[in-house]
Amino acid sequence: MTLESATHTETVENHAAIHGETGQDDTVRHDWSRDEIAALFSLPFNDLIFQAQTVHRRRFDPNQVQMSTLLSIKTGGCSEDCAYCPQSAAYDTGVKAEKLMAVQAVLAEARRAKDGGATRYCMGAAWRSPKDRDIDTVCEMIEGVRALGMETCVTLGMLTDNQTARLRDAGLDYYNHNIDTSEEYYGEIITTRTYQDRLDTLGRVRDAGIHVCSGGIVGMGEARDDRVGMLKTLANMPKHPESVPINMLVKVEGTPVDDQAALDPLEFVRTIAVARIMMPESMVRLSAGRETMSDEIQALCFLAGANSIFVGPKLLTTDNPERDRDDSLFDRLGIESMPL
Ligand code: SAM
Ligand code: DTB
Ligand code: SF4
């Protein structure tokens, strides 16, 4: 090799490294280091988004987004102290405690969600962990929603092995259980259960053969290093969660984090992009927080590799964009609903 061509090769490699074009083979990795993740976060924005979109296009149709609708089947009065949550009994947020909904009422809502274009129905309960008799009712809900031809997801808190098996046998497709933040920051947000408790439930769900939905929340006053740590925990699991919701904190008055300074929306987009690159086969969900996000930031999230959202005017207790706003956004972006 002549000196001239060696220099040229080096220049090309340097260019690739600087512009974030390396490491884009088809390997699904589970050995990410903090430094590598932090380096992704620090890339120039355009390089990061280009890399994320390139990874995204290898496995997904870039113009399809999966749509789920949420319902709170058991609202409020929760014994946990999650600092972000309007449903914790520890904070005065104006959310009233309600009983578990009746199966038929849930199925009526699921039908409306299906008519509204959702392909998955996600049912959430404000429990630390369900009672065994609650599982009977939730299993009926799962069977009923599946009979409508929709996928099912539930989020009920910590589970025992037996409860997990019963949900699986009822045909549950996904279980949502978020790690919420980094292991280091977790203690600032929740004191009534540990990070390991969360990981144990996720392990049970995985072992039972139910698809895992797990992600977290940003904008709770954590440092970028905590966002790095959160994604490291998710991506270094033996199998990546099939669904990774990235929530922007919805600030609810009365919760301990209600006065947090807003996170730079571009940092939110970066978090989505890094999640996409680290977990190339997972669905990355642009989850809570869309109501106060501009259309332009949402468009950047889709460009960064988000390919799943919640549709319908409500999340669990807080607002989500109205259908006509979403329809208009998807029309303008040429985004279609991902078929089942
Ligand atoms: N109680 C169960 C649990 O905590 O696992 C299930 C329901 S809980 C409301 C589901 C998830 O919603 C939480 O883990 C959290 O990530 C998310 N969440 C709750 N309040 C939020 C908020 N104000 N902003 C963003 N995400 C929130
Ligand atoms: C997830 O990651 N986000 C959803 C779902 N999984 C259960 C919940 C968001 C809740 C936002 C606050 C509320 O509406 O109460
Ligand atoms: Fe309860 Fe779940 Fe809210 Fe925590 S996030 S307070 S466990 S409903």
Side-chain angles (χ1 to χ4, degrees), residues 16-88:
I18 290 163
H19 295 275
E21 293 161 17
T22 53
Q24 289 183 20
D25 56 27
D26 276 328
T27 329
V28 176
R29 291 181 48 195
H30 303 267
D31 59 353
W32 291 90
S33 72
R34 293 189 87 92
D35 285 352
E36 283 177 296
I37 305 165
L40 286 174
F41 265 100
S42 300
L43 281 171
F45 189 79
N46 287 346
D47 293 339
L48 175 61
I49 302 304
F50 177 70
Q51 186 170 333
Q53 176 65 200
T54 306
V55 167
H56 189 53
R57 280 173 183 261
R58 288 226 169 95
R59 290 183 172 85
F60 294 104
D61 180 328
N63 304 308
Q64 284 187 348
V65 168
Q66 189 277 330
M67 308 208 182
S68 301
T69 291
L70 263 174
L71 175 70
S72 179
I73 57 170
K74 196 278 162 214
T75 303
C78 185
S79 61
E80 303 288 283
D81 68 353
C82 311
Y84 48 77
C85 187
Q87 305 200 67
S88 167

Side-chain angles (χ1 to χ4, degrees), residues 84-87 125-127 155 157 176-178 180 193 198 217 247-250 288 316:
Y84 48 77
C85 187
Q87 305 200 67
W127 287 321
T155 178
N176 166 251
H177 201 64
N178 292 337
D180 283 340
R193 50 168 158 63
R198 298 300 268 185
I217 310 176
N247 296 275
M248 177 78 110
L249 174 69
V250 179
L316 290 172

Side-chain angles (χ1 to χ4, degrees), residues 160-225:
T160 64
D161 282 337
N162 180 263
Q163 291 174 335
T164 314
R166 288 172 63 200
L167 293 170
R168 188 238 359 254
D169 294 345
L172 180 65
D173 296 293
Y174 289 81
Y175 194 80
N176 166 251
H177 201 64
N178 292 337
I179 60 167
D180 283 340
T181 185
S182 68
E183 185 163 11
E184 294 75 23
Y185 198 63
Y186 187 88
E188 303 288 319
I189 299 296
I190 300 155
T191 69
T192 48
R193 50 168 158 63
T194 65
Y195 210 61
Q196 192 57 48
D197 289 332
R198 298 300 268 185
L199 297 176
D200 289 348
T201 292
L202 287 169
R204 286 194 178 96
V205 170
R206 175 58 79 206
D207 290 347
I210 300 168
H211 293 130
V212 172
C213 172
S214 188
I217 310 176
V218 299
M220 299 192 295
E222 78 285 345
R224 178 182 274 183
D225 215 36

Side-chain angles (χ1 to χ4, degrees), residues 119-272:
T119 56
R120 186 179 309 158
Y121 203 55
C122 305
M123 296 165 272
W127 287 321
R128 170 180 167 82
S129 48
K131 297 192 181 69
D132 285 343
R133 69 162 188 281
D134 297 325
I135 295 286
D136 295 332
T137 313
V138 173
C139 285
E140 281 181 56
M141 293 173 185
I142 291 167
E143 282 157 8
V145 171
R146 277 177 67 88
L148 298 174
M150 298 177 88
E151 289 181 322
T152 51
C153 177
V154 297
T155 178
L156 314 172
M158 294 181 282
L159 298 177
T160 64
D161 282 337
N162 180 263
Q163 291 174 335
T164 314
R166 288 172 63 200
L167 293 170
R168 188 238 359 254
D169 294 345
L172 180 65
D173 296 293
Y174 289 81
Y175 194 80
N176 166 251
H177 201 64
N178 292 337
I179 60 167
D180 283 340
T181 185
S182 68
E183 185 163 11
E184 294 75 23
Y185 198 63
Y186 187 88
E188 303 288 319
I189 299 296
I190 300 155
T191 69
T192 48
R193 50 168 158 63
T194 65
Y195 210 61
Q196 192 57 48
D197 289 332
R198 298 300 268 185
L199 297 176
D200 289 348
T201 292
L202 287 169
R204 286 194 178 96
V205 170
R206 175 58 79 206
D207 290 347
I210 300 168
H211 293 130
V212 172
C213 172
S214 188
I217 310 176
V218 299
M220 299 192 295
E222 78 285 345
R224 178 182 274 183
D225 215 36
D226 295 305
R227 295 185 281 279
V228 167
M230 176 177 91
L231 294 181
K232 181 173 185 285
T233 299
L234 292 168
N236 288 351
M237 287 175 178
K239 201 163 182 240
H240 294 166
E242 282 80 6
S243 166
V244 180
I246 306 293
N247 296 275
M248 177 78 110
L249 174 69
V250 179
K251 280 188 242 171
V252 178
E253 213 183 310
T255 60
V257 289
D258 65 0
D259 58 351
Q260 272 308 324
L263 183 75
D264 175 2
L266 294 178
E267 180 70 9
F268 182 80
V269 178
R270 281 183 184 272
T271 309
I272 297 256

